[in-house]
Amino acid sequence: MKALVYDGVEQMGYREVPDAEPRDGEHLIRVSAVGICGSDMHAYLGHDNRRPAPLILGHEAAGVIVGGPRSGDRVTINPLVTCGTCQACTSGRENLCPTRQIISMPPREGAFAQLVAMPEQNLVTAPEDTPLDKAALAEPLAVSWHAARLALEALHPSQDRRALVIGGGAIGLAAALALKAMGVDEITIAEPNDARRVFLQDTCGQNAVAQAEGTFPIVIDAVGYAATRAAASAMAEPGGVIAHVGLGEDTGGLDIRRMTLQEITFIGTYTYTAQDFRDTAQAIFDGRLGPLDWFQKRNLSEGFTAFQELRAGQVAHPKIMLYPDP
């Protein structure tokens, strides 16, 4: 099969590699579309030692099952593989499974390839009227669905349902869409990049600003740098909630004194539960997350160029979707 392989810091190669091989209880899927995630970019820049080169990255995928009793089924892929038996898994918090694995991280190769192998329980059937590239957005949308759900569950019922989302990339936009689907009507996205902000306003219909002002009951940090955490802890309303989903930088930024004195809840959020993923996929299929027309399309063979352009800040779209050759 052909695959886009991460070969080292800011180096990728598109070449022939051995076909993916399903293990017991797994299906082989021919990838129809796969998105570039921020974690893929972290690996590309050499910032993620969990993803050593050479490695096939990519975990936001959908495709068609090849072979076996489900051959021909259209599916979107939950890339988080868990044990199913630990306390976290049996309590519906599979994302906290201590032995969890994710494709695009050893020992599991990713989906920047023509084929990928996945367990049966990680596949959600996509209806015929849902394009598979939109179904592939289930993974990034589920990350934000999970964050939005946790934030709303933590919000005191006396507080307004208003939200600030810091960062207008795919996760930030997805957070705004998830919050709206959950009944939050007043949402502001803070996005300093001019081109991306205009795209969010004109194409996605979002209230996007260069710099937000005031305080908000809900703040979602979809960037995760010290500067954005500082902004989040300054702009969270007293008694409000910060949901931290970005992983840009490990430390710094939070105003712990203000958060303590104002009883601001801080929630670290990681991926999603299996139910969050299924709920997100259903929201896509039902149209509750909008037209989902905000990604740029590239062939998988052009993936290296896409990474270079993302690195240079030349892409206004929140997401680039890659399409392997048939």
Side-chain angles (χ1 to χ4, degrees):
M1 67 179 185
K2 290 287 185 67
L4 181 67
V5 183
Y6 165 60
D7 285 321
V9 178
E10 299 195 41
Q11 293 298 319
M12 306 188 93
Y14 180 68
R15 59 179 179 269
E16 194 74 28
V17 300
D19 284 357
E21 294 187 6
R23 310 172 193 185
D24 290 343
E26 295 188 348
H27 295 282
L28 190 65
I29 298 117
R30 183 168 294 281
V31 177
S32 298
V34 54
I36 297 177
C37 175
S39 63
D40 296 318
M41 180 58 67
H42 293 160
Y44 170 76
L45 296 175
H47 296 168
D48 190 347
N49 58 16
R50 302 171 303 167
R51 290 179 164 94
L55 182 68
I56 302 172
L57 300 173
H59 58 270
E60 304 176 353
V64 179
I65 295 175
V66 178
R70 293 192 62 187
S71 185
D73 282 5
R74 307 166 77 255
V75 294
T76 187
I77 295 171
N78 176 347
L80 198 66
V81 182
T82 58
C83 74
T85 59
C86 70
Q87 184 180 37
C89 286
T90 57
S91 62
R93 304 179 78 191
E94 299 90 348
N95 58 319
L96 302 182
C97 173
T99 60
R100 64 184 181 262
Q101 300 174 347
I102 191 167
I103 61 172
S104 79
M105 189 182 298
R108 292 183 174 272
E109 297 278 12
F112 287 160
Q114 291 175 312
L115 299 168
V116 68
M118 291 302 301
E120 164 74 25
Q121 63 267 26
N122 286 71
L123 304 178
V124 176
T125 301
E128 290 292 334
D129 61 353
T130 299
L132 285 174
D133 49 10
K134 294 186 178 182
L137 292 171
E139 200 281 336
L141 286 164
V143 170
S144 297
W145 184 279
H146 180 70
R149 177 177 66 80
L150 292 182
L152 285 169
E153 287 175 356
L155 186 69
H156 194 277
S158 67
Q159 293 188 270
D160 296 336
R161 292 166 73 88
R162 295 184 297 110
L164 168 66
V165 178
I166 300 175
I171 297 300
L173 173 58
L177 297 175
L179 287 165
K180 183 177 180 180
M182 295 176 187
V184 179
D185 292 325
E186 191 175 333
I187 303 163
T188 300
I189 300 177
E191 173 50 61
N193 181 286
D194 292 340
R196 179 161 287 177
R197 187 171 63 255
V198 170
F199 186 92
L200 290 168
Q201 293 167 341
D202 295 349
T203 302
C204 305
Q206 297 296 316
N207 176 30
V209 299
Q211 185 171 347
E213 297 180 354
T215 59
F216 300 80
I218 297 171
V219 179
I220 294 185
D221 183 351
V223 181
Y225 280 93
T228 58
R229 283 189 289 271
S233 55
M235 302 184 77
E237 190 175 281
V241 179
I242 298 170
H244 188 274
V245 65
L247 287 171
E249 191 174 29
D250 290 348
T251 59
L254 288 178
D255 183 345
I256 299 299
R257 180 176 177 82
R258 179 175 190 271
M259 291 172 62
T260 300
L261 295 177
Q262 300 293 347
E263 287 198 349
I264 295 166
T265 300
F266 179 91
I267 306 173
T269 72
Y270 173 72
T271 63
Y272 36 76
T273 67
Q275 188 61 54
D276 284 324
F277 190 92
R278 290 189 292 268
D279 290 345
T280 303
Q282 192 59 54
I284 292 173
F285 305 154
D286 294 344
R288 283 180 284 140
L289 295 173
L292 301 178
D293 55 357
W294 34 264
F295 53 87
Q296 189 182 96
K297 301 181 179 183
R298 305 281 187 95
N299 292 329
L300 182 62
S301 59
E302 302 169 317
F304 183 28
T305 300
F307 271 84
Q308 291 173 312
E309 292 178 7
L310 284 167
R311 173 77 169 95
Q314 297 172 349
V315 180
H317 291 69
K319 177 67 62 181
I320 291 180
M321 195 69 68
L322 302 178
Y323 298 79
D325 294 333

